[in-house]
Amino acid sequence: MVDLNQGWRMPGDVSPALDEAAVGRVAARLRELDVFWLEEPLPRENVKGYAALRGEDGLRIAGGEMARTTQELEAFEAADALDVYQPDAVLSVGILRERELAERVTARGHLFTPHTWTNGIGLLANLHLTAGVGGGPYLEFPYDPPGWTPERRDFMLAEPVRVDSQGFLSVPTAPGLGFELAG
């Protein structure tokens, strides 16, 4: 998987987004390398550009991770512009609207795999949602040691969310989202 991080801009981003021709060249090379998906290749308002990239065989196009409204996600749906829908229930449109989106897109054969980049509570909300709608096969979440560890990300939880020895997350079975706040 390759993330071009062009879908949204952060404060302080001073360089312009990649143009469509440059993204097309990157996508062509990634197809040759059999990359699973290309994430956020263009600014999120360029729905036609996403659809054009998706129209070429052999490379899944992922996006929607920082969508702020249902209209943004519905524009991707209407144009059939994504193979992989990635909105975060916490940062994007909420659990209910995200579940509705996930059910629609998975029914059409697309993947639903949230970009989960908050804390352990947000991670667990997206994990439950993904498991509940049959999403996946992946769930992106913050793990970037030494700076961003489970302990740092999940400081508010009694126990941080951890992957098992094979790289899997288990869906908690305790009430609610399955966590206990730190004392």
Side-chain angles (χ1 to χ4, degrees):
M1 295 170 253
V2 173
D3 188 345
L4 291 185
N5 284 315
Q6 301 297 298
W8 46 277
R9 308 305 285 171
M10 294 289 290
D13 285 345
V14 294
S15 60
L18 296 174
D19 63 51
E20 286 187 44
V23 171
R25 289 188 298 275
V26 169
R29 182 67 179 120
L30 295 176
R31 280 185 195 88
E32 293 171 9
L33 297 171
D34 199 27
V35 166
F36 191 75
W37 78 46
L38 175 58
E39 183 174 333
E40 303 287 346
L42 297 164
R44 67 179 183 242
E45 60 275 2
N46 188 352
V47 175
K48 288 181 182 179
Y50 276 83
L53 278 173
R54 184 174 181 270
E56 299 183 28
D57 292 334
L59 180 62
R60 292 168 193 88
I61 303 300
E65 69 185 39
M66 293 297 280
R68 297 287 187 213
T69 68
T70 54
Q71 291 80 16
E72 287 181 61
L73 296 166
E74 289 166 351
F76 281 120
E77 278 186 274
D80 203 21
L82 298 175
D83 298 288
V84 184
Y85 286 78
Q86 297 186 288
D88 180 315
V90 176
L91 297 177
S92 190
V93 295
I95 292 174
L96 175 62
R97 288 188 185 107
E98 190 162 324
R99 189 203 76 205
E100 293 167 348
L101 169 79
E103 289 172 344
R104 289 192 310 269
V105 301
T106 57
R108 291 181 30 225
H110 299 296
L111 299 176
F112 173 76
T113 177
H115 172 100
T116 303
W117 212 258
T118 58
N119 56 41
I121 297 171
L123 170 54
L124 290 170
N126 281 298
L127 176 62
H128 278 279
L129 180 59
T130 302
V133 299
Y138 303 103
L139 184 72
E140 185 177 357
F141 61 91
Y143 179 75
D144 192 12
W148 208 339
T149 62
E151 293 79 13
R152 186 169 185 189
R153 178 194 65 218
D154 303 345
F155 70 91
M156 76 295 299
L157 303 180
E159 281 294 317
V161 180
R162 297 188 189 281
V163 298
D164 68 18
S165 63
Q166 296 180 347
F168 292 96
L169 287 173
S170 295
V171 178
T173 58
L177 294 177
F179 67 84
E180 181 181 326
L181 291 174

